[in-house]
Amino acid sequence: MKASKGSVRRFPSDAWYAVAHSEEVGRSPVGRVIHGTGIVLYRTAQGAVVALADRCAHRPYPLSRGEVVGDLLVSSYSGFAYGPDGRVVSVPTQEQVPVDAAVRAYPAAEYAGLVWVWTGNPGLAARRPLTLLPWLTEPGWTTFGADWETAASGGLLQDNFADITHVPHLHPVLSPPVLRQAPPRLHVEVSEQQVRFWRDFPATRLQTWQSEVTGLSPDAEFVQREEGFFASPGLWTDRWDVLTADGPRTMHFTHALRPVDDRRTHHYWAVSRNFAPDRETTGILRPLLEGYYRRVKDALEVMQDLIDREGPAKEVRVRADAAMLEVRRVMHRLLAEETAR
C-alpha cells in the first residue's frame, strides 16, 4: 500500500458534528466514534443529552456498555459511576473517589432532529453556533432522507458536494437537461470559515421527473438556480430552484458529516421541498435521490481505494473546481488555526 498522509485530509476538532438522530438517544447509553475516538451518549432523567468519552477512567472498557442509573452512567466492568460532567462520583471498592477521576465531557446540543457534539476546545463552542436549517424545522417543508457510512474520507465527500457537473455522468436520469450543457459562470463567496457559491442556468425544459413532481408544464422553459453552502466541516447544504412567476419550486439538500476516522465518514442526508407535500411525490423523489447518493457512495469508495493503493497524485484543475478549492483552503486554515492554539 502506497497511501501517504497527503492522501487524506483531516477534519478539525473545533466544529459541531451530528452524531445521532434525537430519537436514537435515550436512557440506554449509545456509542459513537468520531475522529477515531469513542463518545457515549445518553439522556438524564430530565431529558438532557449527555456526551462523554466512551472509555472508563479505570480500565479500557467502553462506557457505552454500561447502564444509566438516575443521571449517572455506571461502567458495567469497573462499577465506576460518572456524572453528566464526566466526573467519577463513586467507586465500588472504596469510599474516597480518586483525585481527578473523570472522563471528558463534550458540549452537546439538539437541533433539527439531530444530536450535535462539539469535539474540540469547549470554550469555543458557544462562539460558533449551529447553522440554522429552517427547511428542517419550520412548517411548509416536506423532508425525507437516510444515513449510512461511506468508506471514504470526509474530504472526498466535500469535493463531491462542491461540484455537481459530475451528475449527468453518474446519474443521467436524475440530471436536469441544463447540466448536460456547458455550465454558466460559477459565483463563489468566501468568508473566514464558510464558502457559498451559486449560478443561474438559462431557461430550458425540465427533466421529466421535475415536471411531474412540480406540476409545471413539460413544454415550458424555466430558469434554474444552483446554490451550495459549506457551512462548517460537518455540515453542507445545497439548494436547487426552479424559478416561476409565482415563486420558486425549491429543493434543499442537507448533508451532515461525521468523520469516523481518516477513511470512513458517516453521512446523514435529507431532501426537503416546498411543494407537493403528498406521499406520491415523495415516492417519486426518494428512489431517484437515494439511488443517486448510493452511486456517489460507491464512486467515492472506489476513489478512496485507489488513493490507498497508489497514493495521492497531481490533479488537473478546471473552472468547475473553483468552489472545491476554496473549501479545501478553508479546511486547511481551520486546521492550521486549531494546531496553533
Side-chain angles (χ1 to χ4, degrees):
M1 182 179 293
K2 298 181 180 180
S4 71
K5 292 182 180 179
S7 67
V8 173
R9 274 166 282 150
R10 290 175 46 241
F11 269 52
S13 296
D14 289 333
W16 289 101
Y17 293 99
V19 296
H21 295 275
S22 290
E23 62 267 22
E24 293 180 290
V25 182
R27 295 288 286 162
S28 296
V30 175
R32 290 290 186 268
V33 177
I34 183 168
H35 307 305
T37 300
I39 292 178
V40 58
L41 309 166
Y42 71 95
R43 291 187 186 273
T44 65
Q46 290 72 39
V49 174
V50 177
L52 304 176
D54 192 14
R55 180 168 176 157
C56 180
H58 182 52
R59 290 288 186 266
Y61 194 77
L63 293 177
S64 56
R65 289 177 172 264
E67 64 174 335
V68 178
V69 179
D71 286 348
L72 306 180
L73 179 56
V74 182
S75 170
S76 60
Y77 181 84
S78 67
F80 277 39
Y82 297 82
D85 61 357
R87 295 181 180 275
V88 176
V89 298
S90 68
V91 175
T93 58
Q94 61 187 52
E95 293 184 1
Q96 297 80 21
V97 175
V99 177
D100 296 330
V103 297
R104 182 177 178 182
Y106 296 86
E110 283 191 89
Y111 177 64
L114 297 169
V115 174
W116 305 77
V117 170
W118 179 272
T119 58
N121 182 340
L124 296 177
R127 291 160 54 183
R128 297 186 186 174
L130 290 167
T131 300
L132 296 180
L133 306 170
W135 52 90
L136 294 180
T137 61
E138 297 180 0
W141 295 92
T142 303
T143 299
F144 65 86
D147 57 322
W148 50 59
E149 185 172 289
T150 300
S153 74
L156 288 177
L157 272 78
Q158 290 178 339
D159 289 352
N160 172 77
F161 301 150
D163 176 19
I164 66 170
T165 59
H166 64 272
V167 178
H169 312 286
L170 200 60
H171 199 316
V173 174
L174 176 68
S175 175
V178 291
L179 291 182
R180 302 189 188 115
Q181 306 168 9
R185 178 189 174 190
L186 183 68
H187 303 268
V188 182
E189 182 179 86
V190 184
S191 66
E192 184 179 355
Q193 299 174 5
Q194 298 175 326
V195 178
R196 188 184 301 274
F197 61 91
W198 66 94
R199 60 183 153 203
D200 291 332
F201 293 87
T204 188
R205 291 185 179 184
L206 302 178
Q207 182 65 286
T208 301
W209 67 265
Q210 287 182 292
S211 176
E212 186 175 357
V213 300
T214 60
L216 298 173
S217 171
D219 300 318
E221 295 186 338
F222 298 91
V223 172
Q224 298 179 71
R225 172 173 292 174
E226 168 207 2
E227 294 184 17
F229 181 41
F230 168 76
S232 71
L235 179 64
W236 188 289
T237 69
D238 292 302
R239 173 173 176 158
W240 188 272
D241 288 328
V242 177
L243 304 182
T244 72
D246 59 348
R249 305 291 198 275
T250 300
M251 296 179 68
H252 271 289
F253 306 87
T254 306
H255 302 280
L257 304 181
R258 169 169 53 94
V260 179
D261 55 33
D262 286 345
R263 288 171 174 81
R264 291 183 297 155
T265 308
H266 191 90
H267 178 198
Y268 164 80
W269 60 268
V271 179
S272 308
R273 64 185 188 273
N274 67 350
F275 57 88
D278 55 280
R279 293 183 180 180
E280 290 77 10
T281 300
T282 298
I284 296 171
L285 289 172
R286 179 182 285 277
L288 273 173
L289 273 301
E290 183 165 339
Y292 166 67
Y293 288 134
R294 289 197 180 277
R295 293 188 186 196
V296 169
K297 177 180 184 295
D298 292 343
L300 299 185
E301 289 178 347
V302 169
M303 290 184 192
Q304 185 66 62
D305 182 65
L306 181 59
I307 292 171
D308 288 345
R309 185 174 67 250
E310 300 183 1
K314 183 179 180 180
E315 298 176 339
V316 175
R317 302 293 182 220
V318 296
R319 285 180 294 179
D321 295 328
M324 178 195 76
L325 294 175
E326 293 297 346
V327 170
R328 288 185 179 185
R329 291 188 184 101
V330 171
M331 286 285 287
H332 180 78
R333 183 164 60 247
L334 291 174
L335 280 167
E337 292 174 355
E338 184 174 299
T339 300
R341 283 194 294 269

